[in-house]
Amino acid sequence: MKMSQLYDRNVVCMACHQQYTTKKIRSRFLRAVKHDTDFCSYYQPEDLNPLFYYVSVCPCCGFAITEEFSSYFPPGTREAIQQNIRTYWNGKNYSGERTLEQALQTYQIGIYCASMKKERHIVLAGLYMRLAWLYRTYEMPEQEEQFMRLALKEYTASYSIEDFAGTHMSEVRLLYLIGELHRRLNETKEAIRYFSRVIAKKKETIEKRIVDMAHERWQDIRYNQRSSS
């Protein structure tokens, strides 16, 4: 019997406490064929992309999460979620195999839920960034730029108040991402400022590859500036 490329992962909804399943891609079937300088990965075939299944949506109440969501609900947010999400939920089920359109819908729901729950900036940034990557993969540059800008805003806020502490995101990686987003948005002065911060941490970080990448991007900017002048 041929093994399915997808498997069911059990999830307990944080909002209504109902259990449901969501699809994930078996790691043996993930085939990244290219990586961008902001860590966007491309997969073959395109629909076997883990970004399609990053957001889990409860079919019972419509509350959507990622694995980065905290279990803590600030005061008043449960009631707001009840009034603004669960009351109007149409029962749509995203627990099966997803199309691009369905994946995009789950991000929209996830972003709304994260905002209602007052999730950390680093969590919202992750949603915006991955949504930008999806739009890039399918060559929708206007939408890609829109969500890169939103990701940049949230990453910068996260760095400012350090709400990335205790997550998989290190300070060096976050500084690099902020710089790279500025570079991709043609904000070279800010890009250089953040890349310089990464390079300055060379002796105190174990993430030497990130430092090297920051130096490479800084050199790319200098080369392009010389070429244009």
Side-chain angles (χ1 to χ4, degrees), residues 109-199:
I109 299 167
I111 289 165
Y112 184 66
C113 289
S115 300
M116 291 295 300
K117 187 178 176 292
K118 299 180 181 178
E119 268 295 344
R120 292 164 296 170
H121 294 290
I122 196 67
V123 174
L124 271 165
L127 282 160
Y128 287 135
M129 191 80 229
R130 286 167 175 82
L131 186 49
W133 289 342
L134 261 183
Y135 281 123
R136 185 187 306 168
T137 300
Y138 288 88
E139 299 180 354
M140 295 184 243
E142 289 184 9
Q143 293 91 334
E144 177 196 349
E145 179 178 337
Q146 175 189 353
F147 287 100
M148 280 200 299
R149 290 193 181 280
L150 289 168
L152 175 57
K153 179 181 177 182
E154 295 297 329
Y155 278 133
T156 304
S158 177
Y159 179 70
S160 177
I161 67 170
E162 299 184 358
D163 77 356
F164 63 92
T167 71
H168 296 301
M169 180 68 72
S170 68
E171 181 182 6
V172 167
R173 191 181 182 93
L174 179 54
L175 285 169
Y176 172 82
L177 264 176
I178 293 171
E180 176 61 2
L181 283 168
H182 277 300
R183 187 186 74 85
R184 286 177 173 269
L185 294 167
N186 297 314
E187 298 165 355
T188 54
K189 185 176 179 181
E190 286 298 298
I192 290 171
R193 187 160 73 93
Y194 280 96
F195 289 145
S196 296
R197 290 186 183 183
V198 176
I199 295 167

Side-chain angles (χ1 to χ4, degrees), residues 14 63 68-78 81 114 116-120:
M14 291 181 181
F63 187 67
E68 282 70 42
F69 273 49
S70 71
S71 58
Y72 172 69
F73 284 77
T77 55
R78 284 188 183 274
I81 289 164
M116 291 295 300
K117 187 178 176 292
K118 299 180 181 178
E119 268 295 344
R120 292 164 296 170

Side-chain angles (χ1 to χ4, degrees), residues 42-61:
Y42 299 82
Y43 295 85
Q44 287 294 336
E46 282 186 346
D47 59 350
L48 272 186
N49 185 330
L51 294 177
F52 274 50
Y53 303 97
Y54 180 67
V55 181
S56 303
V57 183
C58 176
C60 302
C61 72

Side-chain angles (χ1 to χ4, degrees), residues 4-9 22-27:
S4 172
Q5 296 164 324
L6 304 174
Y7 70 93
D8 287 328
R9 178 175 175 270
T22 189
K23 296 293 185 187
K24 294 290 181 183
I25 302 174
R26 297 185 193 277
S27 58

